[in-house]
Amino acid sequence: MIKNIIFDWNGTLIDDTQLSLEIENDLFLERGLRQIDLKEYRDCFCFPVIHYYEKIGFDFKNHSFEDISTQFTKIYSQRYKECHLMHHTVELLKELKERQINCSILSASHYKNLIEQVQYYGIAPFFSDIIGTHTIHAISKVEYGKQWIQKRNLDPQECLFIGDTDHDKDTADAMNVNCILFSNGHQSEEVLKKKNKVVISDLMELLDYL
């Protein structure tokens, strides 16, 4: 029986894929690089994010990854309020609360920014823990997840991780917990199905697996 659900944030609970693409295309344009469309973005996006930039043609001999990460984070922090929560986010969280299932967030976002965003959307009270990283470069959340599950002394078989990227599956595997992937975020359904057996397109489908 699942007693704990760990949610990713970007592309799982907040619908920010289009905004991320818009910001990146603006940054590419400033650097004289080509624009990409949503399909290419969702087919190529991966963690660590530096590998995604390499996939789409960045040459880090000419462009600084640190600079583009810093600039992206600054603009995203100014514009994230343009985004909405994913469809059915609040309904799902209310249902999980009624079922007395503990909910947490584990994200590669910087902790300070993550807290600000979750509080802005008014859903912070649904979560017992909100775990972010201490870097703006979206490197990995694997170690944070492993440390958290040990600190809480949780049974991994009673935990379920849900996210929108293949990195979320890697994170779940490292934590030895169950995993469901969500196909309306930063990676395409085709990419996700190569990584995990269970892929859902609506958050309420999660209830079918509890």
Side-chain angles (χ1 to χ4, degrees):
M1 180 180 292
I2 299 299
K3 297 182 180 179
N4 301 279
I5 296 182
I6 307 110
F7 289 92
D8 172 54
W9 175 242
N10 302 94
T12 301
L13 294 180
I14 181 174
D15 187 1
D16 63 352
T17 306
Q18 185 62 45
L19 174 62
S20 297
L21 175 62
E22 289 177 13
I23 294 172
E24 290 188 356
N25 271 331
D26 287 344
L27 297 179
F28 299 162
L29 189 63
E30 286 180 13
R31 291 161 172 80
L33 301 171
R34 68 183 181 88
Q35 307 285 278
I36 62 173
D37 61 21
L38 185 60
K39 183 181 186 308
E40 183 176 8
Y41 174 86
R42 297 181 77 236
D43 285 341
C44 292
F45 185 80
C46 64
F47 283 92
V49 171
I50 191 170
H51 291 167
Y52 154 67
Y53 286 126
E54 289 170 344
K55 276 186 183 181
I56 60 175
F58 255 72
D59 182 351
F60 289 109
K61 293 178 182 177
N62 299 319
H63 305 285
S64 164
F65 174 65
E66 288 73 20
D67 286 350
I68 197 169
S69 292
T70 300
Q71 195 174 357
F72 177 93
T73 301
K74 180 179 179 181
I75 298 170
Y76 183 95
S77 296
Q78 295 167 344
R79 296 186 59 187
Y80 75 85
K81 293 178 183 178
E82 297 174 23
C83 301
H84 300 283
L85 292 174
M86 284 289 181
H87 189 50
H88 288 146
T89 293
V90 175
E91 293 92 331
L92 175 62
L93 293 173
K94 287 180 177 179
E95 178 63 26
L96 295 174
K97 184 176 181 180
E98 287 185 11
R99 296 190 187 194
Q100 297 184 321
I101 295 175
N102 182 68
C103 294
S104 302
I105 292 176
L106 173 61
S107 172
S109 296
H110 190 282
Y111 175 74
K112 181 180 177 181
N113 297 335
L114 178 63
I115 289 290
E116 176 187 315
Q117 292 160 26
V118 176
Q119 289 178 339
Y120 171 78
Y121 288 99
I123 58 174
F126 287 106
F127 303 102
S128 61
D129 291 287
I130 299 174
I131 308 110
T133 67
H134 298 287
T135 173
I136 64 169
H137 301 311
I139 297 172
S140 177
K141 55 197 173 192
V142 170
E143 290 305 317
Y144 291 91
K146 290 167 64 177
Q147 291 171 13
W148 174 78
I149 206 166
Q150 290 177 343
K151 179 181 177 181
R152 291 298 185 194
N153 195 28
L154 300 177
D155 180 349
Q157 295 308 302
E158 295 177 347
C159 299
L160 173 65
F161 195 105
I162 177 165
D164 68 308
T165 70
D166 51 11
H167 180 59
D168 292 312
K169 170 62 173 170
D170 292 337
T171 303
D173 288 348
M175 296 168 67
N176 199 30
V177 304
N178 303 286
C179 182
I180 289 177
L181 295 179
F182 176 62
S183 63
N184 281 334
H186 289 265
Q187 282 185 333
S188 65
E189 184 176 16
E190 291 74 17
V191 171
L192 299 179
K193 283 186 172 180
K194 293 176 182 177
K195 193 75 174 186
N196 200 51
K197 290 181 180 179
V198 181
V199 178
I200 62 174
S201 59
D202 187 298
L203 288 177
M204 291 299 281
E205 293 178 54
L206 179 63
L207 299 175
D208 296 336
Y209 297 91
L210 302 182

